[in-house]
Amino acid sequence: MTGLVMPKADEKTMARRAEIVAAMRAIVPGEGVVETVNEMRAFETDALTAYRQLPLVVVLPETVDQVARILRYCNENGVRVVPRGSGTSLSGGSLPLADAVLLVMSRFNRILEIDFPNRVVVAQPGVTNLGITTAVEQDGFYYAPDPSSQIACSIGGNVAENSGGVHCLKYGLTANNVLGLEMVLVNGDVVRLGGKHLDSEGYDLLGLMTGSEGLLGVVTEVTVRILKKPETARAVLIGFPTSEQGGQCVADIIGAGIIPGGMEMMDRPAIKAAEDFVQVGYPLDVEALLIVELDGPPAEVDHLIAEVERIAQANGSTTCRISGSDAERLSFWAGRKAAFPAVGRISPDYLCMDGTIPRKELPRVLAGMRELSEKHGLRVANVFHAGDGNLHPLILYDANNPGELAAAEEFGADILRLCVKVGGVLTGEHGVGVEKRDLMPEMFTEADLDQQMRIKCAFDPNHLLNPGKVFPQLRRCAELGRMHVHQGKMPFPDIPRF
Amino acid sequence: MTDFTPTTPEEVLSVVQWAAAEQAPLEVVGQGSKRGIGRPAQTEHTLSLSRLSGVTLYEPAELVLTARAGTPIAEIEKLLADYNQQLDFEPLDYGPLHGQAAGAGTIGGVLAANLSGPRRLKAGAARDHILGINAVSGRGEAFKAGGRVVKNVTGYDVSKAMAGSWGTLAVCTDVTFKVLPVAETETTLAIRGLLDDQAAAAMALAMGSSAEVSSAAHVPEGVAISVVGGALGSDAATLLRLEGFPPSIAYRLNLLQDMLKNAGELQVLLGDKSKAVWRDLRDCIPFADGTHKPVWRVSMQPSEAHRMTLDLRQNVPASAFYDWQGGLVWLRMEHGEPEAERVRALVRAHGGGHATLVRANAAVRAAVPVFAPQPPALRALAERLKASFDPHNILNPGRMAG
């Protein structure tokens, strides 16, 4: 993917840059328009730092009306727009385009309403994920989805990516925790979807918007559900001699009707890297390390901890430690949470992949990864959201060695192909973005992708919003809308009829 | 006039391709158990999925089930129960409310109507549990979306767009749902004799506590007697459901009893009795009276629900009970008029939401928008979305007309 091809910059738009910047300044006054190369550098990439591109101009609106006017102007003038929240996308979802306005929503940073009787928070899209929890935690509430970038990532970005996190096994993804949106369509129309009530009076546009990666509209307000914080949480740290035993333990826990608050697994290379980094006492003689966290009322947690311990032993665990204090629980997590930087210590660079597989396929996929590791001559360390089969293989490489980035990307693509082959998907929570864009045909047929692009056309008929992301090939909406009809007789006279 | 009853996805495809070429509108149904909802069909041809049936994949350890869209929901619920699992969103059964037998309907219909039940409050609706679909668009093209795993953000969540689309976008041939273990036990705490506003306060208190209440309903005096054949008695009942492992339930029940000890007379409903009460509320049994009196299903913000009904009753006679902490109001119009504009104006005035006319005779449904009309920009977007799937409007045309 080092050969990443983005939509060709439109020279006419590039030539009109001064005029477009002036139009943006007329809509957003003062420091809300950033146009010098030096200042725009801060926006040239997101958390997929392998790719960089300066935008045409950066605009940071403060009001919904400004967003509507910017989009209306761009729509009428055929100017592309890349929306951006905090820029923490791991798939290049907010990678700028040379001929596109970068629409940065970070100044929409206020919490608009906290409603405890209905247990919802209404926030502007630039509020961070953690910011929502912070606003309600003194009253004992929290917002459940917790992507690892929660300190920085914005709730608007969470909607765009349908973000997950450790807790989503029990508490759901962003899509299950967002009740309402206000958004601006590319034509400048402002629409509201949902609110403090549940479900939709019409099509589930809220469901479509969530995870649409900035291609359908720009979110200007988000209503989320908040939950009462569980009274207690305890964790069990379990080591296994083989990954098969670890995988079976996960299956047996779920088979016993237990849905833990979090259930994470690490393989030997990841365990070693994490332990070397944070020294929290992870066993180094195991192939798989499982962290199972149970949360809820103390009586429930105690009951389930005993169950999990029994299941772990039945599956041949060689270590099984139960956290006796919150400090100890957090130490169990410290290694897992530090896994990415820990791998960063042992390798100059790494790529973080994000496939999901049916859980039972874990041993097969791990074995496949070992073979691929030899084939590509690169090391891989694995951390998983074990409860839902979401894998994060970390491919270790050195960008200073010619060809290693390309080899790492090819290795990553092979892993994702393997995920699809065993019944899984290309991305569990990081999004397609530019990173997995060209792999979409591994999972979808042309007909599947055409129907998705027709949905895009219903929202954005000129492909102006975030082009070059998600879809490997952009097809014109007029062409997509054409019907290829098969004139003919009544089909299958043998189809049963009454 | 033709009724197509295909038995394979390929046959479904050929029927829709023919209809698309002929621009011949199709009424798309499963078993037709929800025909009483939405604008009555006026199509010459019917595409029934009732023979496109069967569970094609069920892996209890993976918590996933795939079935042909026409598979009876009763068959799926029985299969899941054999493995101590369930559809956690407990889809309601509209049969009794429409004077039909309980237990009809298909899994495809569950998705098309985005059904849910009292546990919606905690566990979500069909939309929150659908993982993937295979479908045929109104263009006569087969496509798939989603997958069979829970964590999946690959492409748009087109499966969710099918939820609540009433068969107007595409004909699903296969649906994949997340399934979950059945809770070991369930217990309900009932507070007796509360007025609607007192009940709203008690439910908000309970839902905001650590008791992990999975359903909260209020059945006022006059309606309570119609639950489980009078088993609840006639006093108003505010119901809080607890589900989970026995030691946990004991602890949480104690927490609620302590918190609500001054709220009113407390009563505990155990196991099967608790289940029977929630099943009746799920299916709107209190209004399953054999009449055609209009019934509204109103989704709104919980804290405003009792105020909305109070305002409504100033002008028209209506019975009401509340689920989802008040976020779901079931309204029966006692004078036989739907009063659509009045009901919808009051919902708007009380924080917004939407009202669906889930029971009314065909003449009323032909005249009154069954689904809440949308503002112009949203309506235009919805029409473009419909056209992206079904440009000639051949799938259930007009069914969702608002």
Side-chain angles (χ1 to χ4, degrees):
Chain A
M1 209 184 41
T2 32
L4 177 72
V5 179
M6 293 305 284
K8 194 168 171 297
D10 180 49
E11 283 175 22
K12 279 189 208 141
T13 302
M14 304 286 283
R16 290 173 60 200
R17 180 171 189 269
E19 178 195 330
I20 294 164
V21 170
M24 293 300 112
R25 286 207 180 281
I27 298 170
V28 182
E31 294 175 349
V33 176
V34 173
E35 57 169 314
T36 67
V37 168
N38 272 346
E39 287 176 309
M40 291 202 300
R41 283 267 176 247
F43 299 95
E44 70 180 356
T45 187
D46 54 21
L48 185 71
T49 52
Y51 302 105
R52 286 163 201 278
Q53 172 63 54
L54 282 175
L56 186 70
V57 57
V58 180
V59 188
L60 300 97
E62 271 182 312
T63 68
V64 179
D65 180 58
Q66 288 173 355
V67 175
R69 286 163 65 197
I70 292 165
L71 289 176
R72 200 174 298 128
Y73 171 87
C74 291
N75 195 41
E76 284 166 3
N77 288 275
V79 178
R80 292 165 170 165
V81 179
V82 175
R84 175 181 163 116
S86 301
T88 56
S89 169
L90 288 161
S91 56
S94 49
L95 178 69
L97 294 169
D99 63 347
V101 170
L102 189 70
L103 184 61
V104 181
M105 297 300 288
S106 55
R107 298 214 287 187
F108 280 76
N109 58 3
R110 293 201 318 278
I111 297 223
L112 301 174
E113 188 187 351
I114 297 172
D115 177 348
F116 288 120
N118 293 308
R119 293 178 317 289
V120 298
V121 168
V122 183
Q124 291 187 320
V127 171
T128 61
N129 172 291
L130 194 61
I132 293 177
T133 291
T134 307
V136 296
E137 67 185 350
Q138 71 277 17
D139 292 275
F141 288 85
Y142 77 116
Y143 175 62
D146 56 344
S148 56
S149 56
Q150 67 177 161
I151 189 168
C153 65
S154 70
I155 191 70
N158 288 181
V159 171
E161 302 291 330
N162 191 13
S163 304
V166 166
H167 277 100
C168 65
L169 175 64
K170 182 170 176 183
Y171 297 102
L173 304 156
T174 301
N176 312 111
N177 289 278
V178 168
L179 301 182
L181 293 179
E182 179 193 67
M183 67 167 180
V184 185
L185 302 177
V186 75
N187 63 9
D189 282 351
V190 180
V191 299
R192 299 192 76 89
L193 308 175
K196 292 184 184 175
H197 57 275
L198 298 171
D199 300 328
S200 169
E201 72 283 356
Y203 297 133
D204 193 349
L205 299 175
L206 184 59
L208 262 185
M209 272 301 290
T210 312
S212 63
E213 305 200 20
L215 271 73
L216 300 184
V218 177
V219 172
T220 48
E221 185 190 292
V222 187
T223 302
V224 299
R225 176 175 74 157
I226 51 170
L227 298 175
K228 188 76 177 178
K229 209 161 179 239
E231 277 183 59
T232 46
R234 292 173 73 189
V236 196
L237 189 71
I238 313 164
F240 295 96
T242 67
S243 60
E244 283 83 355
Q245 286 163 292
Q248 192 56 46
C249 182
V250 170
D252 290 350
I253 288 170
I254 286 170
I258 303 169
I259 305 292
M263 184 144 60
E264 299 288 301
M265 202 193 283
M266 301 163 75
D267 73 355
R268 187 189 274 269
I271 300 164
K272 177 153 192 340
E275 179 60 19
D276 286 351
F277 185 31
V278 291
Q279 287 116 34
V280 284
Y282 282 175
L284 294 172
D285 56 348
V286 297
E287 283 299 323
L289 187 67
L290 196 59
I291 306 173
V292 183
E293 180 162 299
L294 288 314
D295 61 6
E300 176 174 325
V301 172
D302 292 348
H303 172 73
L304 295 183
I305 288 264
E307 282 288 292
V308 167
E309 190 179 17
R310 185 185 59 74
I311 293 167
Q313 278 162 0
N315 278 294
S317 65
T318 49
T319 330
C320 187
R321 283 168 54 200
I322 298 165
S323 68
S325 66
D326 223 36
E328 190 173 17
R329 177 180 71 87
L330 293 174
S331 79
F332 289 179
W333 280 110
R336 166 62 184 87
K337 293 203 165 170
F340 289 12
V343 165
R345 278 173 82 239
I346 60 170
S347 172
D349 301 284
Y350 66 88
L351 274 185
C352 173
M353 307 311 292
D354 174 46
T356 303
I357 56 169
R359 274 188 307 270
K360 65 172 182 188
E361 301 289 353
L362 184 61
R364 180 176 161 197
V365 171
L366 283 178
M369 268 195 245
R370 281 192 289 271
E371 282 172 27
L372 289 170
S373 172
E374 282 178 29
K375 175 184 155 194
H376 292 280
L378 292 171
R379 292 178 297 163
V380 61
N382 271 293
V383 296
F384 325 113
H385 302 303
D388 43 34
N390 187 196
L391 314 175
H392 290 317
L394 303 171
I395 299 170
L396 282 49
Y397 71 100
D398 183 348
N400 289 326
N401 292 343
E404 264 201 21
L405 171 60
E409 287 181 337
E410 200 38 56
F411 185 2
D414 280 347
I415 291 174
L416 295 183
R417 286 186 190 106
L418 179 59
C419 290
V420 172
K421 193 173 153 198
V422 302
V425 300
L426 295 173
T427 172
E429 56 183 357
H430 294 172
V432 177
V434 296
E435 188 202 24
K436 271 103 46 184
R437 184 192 73 184
D438 296 339
L439 290 170
M440 287 288 269
E442 298 285 340
M443 190 168 147
F444 293 114
T445 65
E446 196 175 314
D448 301 338
L449 289 172
D450 281 356
Q451 186 51 52
Q452 295 204 29
M453 272 187 274
R454 282 187 203 105
I455 293 171
K456 162 76 169 167
C457 293
F459 284 77
D460 174 21
N462 299 315
H463 287 306
L464 292 175
L465 273 175
N466 219 7
K469 318 290 169 69
V470 181
F471 298 113
Q473 187 198 351
L474 282 182
R475 295 182 55 197
R476 297 168 64 88
C477 290
E479 182 193 338
L480 285 163
R482 213 166 285 148
M483 292 273 280
H484 305 280
V485 293
H486 317 274
Q487 299 293 342
K489 303 188 292 282
M490 184 84 88
F492 289 89
D494 53 327
I495 288 178
R497 300 179 188 138
F498 13 81
Chain B
M1 178 90 186
T2 313
D3 287 323
F4 297 100
T5 52
T7 58
T8 65
E10 293 72 27
E11 289 178 355
V12 172
L13 179 63
S14 72
V15 171
V16 180
Q17 280 179 343
W18 168 79
E22 296 290 316
Q23 301 195 19
L26 295 169
E27 184 194 17
V28 185
V29 296
Q31 295 176 344
S33 65
K34 290 178 274 295
R35 268 194 171 119
I37 301 177
R39 185 157 290 186
Q42 296 180 323
T43 60
E44 196 179 337
H45 310 287
T46 298
L47 170 53
S48 162
L49 300 183
S50 56
R51 296 186 59 181
L52 183 71
S53 180
V55 172
T56 52
L57 178 144
Y58 176 36
E59 293 183 3
E62 300 279 334
L63 304 176
V64 62
L65 177 142
T66 305
R68 299 291 197 212
T71 311
I73 185 67
E75 181 183 324
I76 287 173
E77 287 180 338
K78 181 175 179 312
L79 173 65
L80 290 172
D82 288 345
Y83 290 86
N84 214 22
Q85 294 189 335
Q86 62 184 2
L87 296 170
D88 212 33
F89 56 98
E90 52 180 357
L92 87 153
D93 181 348
Y94 274 116
L97 185 64
H98 290 152
Q100 300 161 4
T106 63
I107 188 74
V110 165
L111 178 64
N114 188 33
L115 297 183
S116 62
R119 208 183 284 117
R120 170 71 179 95
L121 199 49
K122 175 169 181 271
R127 75 180 289 277
D128 296 288
H129 296 255
I130 183 73
L131 300 179
I133 55 157
N134 286 81
V136 177
S137 72
R139 303 170 53 87
E141 292 172 7
F143 68 94
K144 70 169 179 300
R148 48 160 293 188
V149 293
V150 174
K151 283 281 267 308
N152 179 12
V153 294
T154 321
Y156 298 139
D157 204 344
V158 183
S159 313
K160 274 202 178 62
M162 297 299 129
S165 68
W166 294 86
T168 59
L169 297 179
V171 182
C172 287
T173 54
D174 302 87
V175 295
T176 300
F177 275 99
K178 173 169 79 169
V179 299
L180 282 168
V182 177
E184 243 176 68
T185 49
E186 104 167 50
T187 298
T188 293
L189 180 67
I191 316 164
R192 306 308 303 260
L194 300 190
L195 298 172
D196 288 6
D197 59 336
Q198 297 169 320
M203 288 191 289
L205 189 65
M207 290 306 303
S209 78
S210 304
E212 294 181 16
V213 175
S214 63
S215 310
H218 175 64
V219 193
E221 191 184 353
V223 180
I225 194 72
S226 312
V227 181
V228 200
L232 269 186
S234 58
D235 288 348
T238 307
L239 303 154
L240 304 168
R241 174 157 71 163
L242 300 172
E243 297 174 282
F245 299 94
S248 173
I249 300 248
Y251 174 88
R252 289 185 280 149
L253 180 64
N254 197 274
L255 191 80
L256 281 183
Q257 285 170 320
D258 197 43
M259 190 167 60
L260 295 164
K261 59 177 181 277
N262 298 321
E265 183 204 331
L266 301 182
Q267 183 186 353
V268 176
L269 311 175
L270 295 171
D272 289 344
K273 193 165 183 194
S274 167
K275 282 189 182 136
V277 166
W278 289 107
R279 173 169 280 262
D280 267 22
L281 297 184
R282 184 194 79 177
D283 295 345
C284 195
I285 296 300
F287 296 163
D289 49 11
T291 74
H292 281 106
K293 284 182 187 170
V295 172
W296 290 97
R297 188 172 187 266
V298 181
S299 176
M300 60 185 297
Q301 59 172 296
S303 59
E304 286 293 314
H306 65 282
R307 298 192 185 102
M308 186 277 289
T309 58
L310 188 68
D311 284 357
L312 178 68
R313 287 195 183 117
Q314 310 255 322
N315 294 294
V316 294
S319 300
F321 71 94
Y322 309 86
D323 200 346
W324 305 353
Q325 191 198 331
L328 174 61
V329 188
W330 293 97
L331 281 177
R332 180 174 61 191
M333 311 305 281
E334 301 296 353
H335 64 326
E337 294 298 322
E339 302 278 356
E341 285 175 23
R342 189 192 301 275
V343 169
R344 287 183 170 135
L346 282 172
V347 172
R348 267 196 304 280
H350 285 282
H354 50 92
T356 309
L357 187 59
V358 293
R359 186 178 72 186
N361 63 41
V364 170
R365 286 185 284 121
V368 170
V370 168
F371 299 93
Q374 295 182 309
L378 197 50
R379 186 185 173 124
L381 178 60
E383 283 170 1
R384 294 198 299 272
L385 184 69
K386 160 82 171 166
S388 79
F389 283 92
D390 180 20
H392 294 312
N393 197 19
I394 59 166
L395 301 178
N396 280 344
R399 176 122 196 223
M400 292 183 79

